[in-house]
Amino acid sequence: MFLAELSDAGERTLMLLPLGRQRRYGLRIAGFLGGEVTDYNAPLLRADFDASGFVALWPVIVRLLGGVDVFRVRRVPLHIDGVRNPVTMLENMRQTEQAHAATLTASYEEFRKQRSASMFADTRRQMRRLSERGAVTLLIDVPVAQRGTVIAGMARQKARRWHETGSRDLFAEQGYLQFYQELGAKGIDGGDILVSALFVGSELIATHWGMRYGKRFYWLMPGYQDGEWARYSAGRVLLDAVLRDCIDKGLEIFDLTAGDEAYKLQWADHTLPLYAGQQAYS
């Protein structure tokens, strides 16, 4: 693990670049830390950071890493809070995917009017249908004592979905569930981990593990129960409740993060281009 710091003549920190190096296929490969649990890979930048000289400084950073054959990155946002991400300026970087986000309005009613009326009508209908099955409990912020159980349920729901789509099951691998459990219990400095859940009676029907940082909320790890519950759109019901809470708390962006899942297009009003690329150094 390496943390590169770029400072100016006045010793003000301009950039912090968290990087890691691992050996794969006989190569020393450098890239951002975080792996599959990270939707966005980027340095920390001052608000007045000038990216124009970064490409010239990059060979110095590579040398400081102490031996690299390949630098490889993905899911690198073009901008970070309006500041150009300098990593996107490196050679061979190109847009390969995108994320989606919704600009939050002053009121939920205003937000609703900007989108499909039928979607919100169906969400209300599904909530009524769920109520017919039993008492519905919506927890926007699950108490810490209950979070471990909810996160474990989320992992089961998410793993099932990954198996259905032929995707990699992260929770079958060592460390991943522990990562979400520990952050859910301890939180993060400067922000909030928000674990949300929808119960019908005592049954956990929909879950979400997300993060609130500044004026932005990150919709990161949703799960939902299948089988007889699949026709109730419980995941959308929970998303609607969490988004409404974000508006009530004065947040500005509901970030649906990387991926082009159809449901994200229903809520988002803008996209965030994500870049990937690699450079060889041996």
Side-chain angles (χ1 to χ4, degrees):
M1 183 177 74
F2 305 90
L3 184 62
E5 178 185 8
L6 176 63
S7 304
D8 64 10
E11 296 188 355
R12 297 184 311 158
T13 298
L14 304 178
M15 179 186 71
L16 291 172
L17 185 62
L19 299 174
R21 186 181 62 191
Q22 61 180 325
R23 184 170 287 277
R24 297 182 64 190
Y25 318 115
L27 300 174
R28 297 163 298 175
I29 301 176
F32 281 102
L33 299 173
E36 289 299 318
V37 301
T38 318
D39 274 60
Y40 301 130
N41 291 297
L44 299 176
L45 304 171
R46 280 183 62 92
D48 59 353
F49 180 80
D50 180 3
S52 60
F54 179 79
V55 173
L57 289 171
W58 179 246
V60 178
I61 295 173
V62 172
R63 284 199 301 272
L64 290 174
L65 289 175
V68 172
D69 297 303
V70 177
F71 178 73
R72 177 184 294 167
V73 289
R74 62 188 289 260
R75 289 184 174 176
V76 179
L78 182 60
H79 293 96
I80 307 161
D81 288 336
V83 181
R84 175 67 187 268
N85 184 350
V87 179
T88 62
M89 304 171 71
L90 295 175
E91 186 180 7
N92 298 325
M93 295 294 292
R94 59 188 180 89
Q95 183 182 348
T96 56
E97 54 185 318
Q98 60 191 357
H100 299 272
T103 305
L104 299 180
T105 52
S107 69
Y108 176 78
E109 185 66 19
E110 183 182 353
F111 182 89
R112 186 180 62 80
K113 288 179 178 179
Q114 296 176 358
R115 285 157 179 83
S116 167
S118 61
M119 179 182 72
F120 289 95
D122 186 66
T123 301
R124 293 191 296 270
R125 183 179 71 88
Q126 298 291 21
M127 184 65 172
R128 290 194 299 270
R129 294 181 67 216
L130 285 168
S131 300
E132 293 169 0
R133 297 291 305 271
V136 175
T137 303
L138 272 167
L139 297 177
I140 302 301
D141 191 3
V142 172
V144 173
Q146 195 178 352
R147 284 188 174 190
T149 301
V150 170
I151 293 172
M154 177 207 75
R156 290 192 297 272
Q157 293 171 349
K158 197 69 179 177
R160 184 212 75 242
R161 183 59 180 162
W162 283 329
H163 283 289
E164 289 174 351
T165 58
S167 303
R168 176 185 174 189
D169 180 2
L170 295 179
F171 292 128
E173 302 177 26
Q174 185 177 2
Y176 283 95
L177 180 56
Q178 181 183 359
F179 171 84
Y180 287 97
Q181 290 283 21
E182 289 189 1
L183 273 184
K186 298 177 182 177
I188 58 171
D189 291 338
D192 300 295
I193 299 298
L194 209 67
V195 179
S196 305
L198 185 156
F199 290 88
V200 177
S202 61
E203 191 161 356
L204 182 60
I205 306 303
T207 56
H208 180 255
W209 191 103
M211 184 182 299
R212 187 167 52 212
Y213 193 86
K215 291 292 186 177
R216 200 177 193 98
F217 181 81
Y218 295 89
W219 182 261
L220 289 168
M221 186 68 72
Y224 59 90
Q225 199 70 358
D226 65 344
E228 61 177 323
W229 297 105
R231 63 181 183 273
Y232 291 94
S233 303
R236 191 203 317 146
V237 172
L238 183 59
L239 190 158
D240 179 77
V242 172
L243 184 141
R244 187 191 294 248
D245 181 74
C246 289
I247 291 175
D248 291 343
K249 287 183 167 55
L251 272 63
E252 297 175 356
I253 299 291
F254 193 90
D255 194 328
L256 293 147
T257 64
D260 289 324
E261 293 91 337
Y263 80 88
K264 294 182 179 181
L265 305 181
Q266 296 177 307
W267 299 90
D269 62 3
H270 61 283
T271 60
L272 308 167
L274 300 177
Y275 283 66
Q278 59 186 14
Q279 297 85 40
Y281 295 99
S282 68

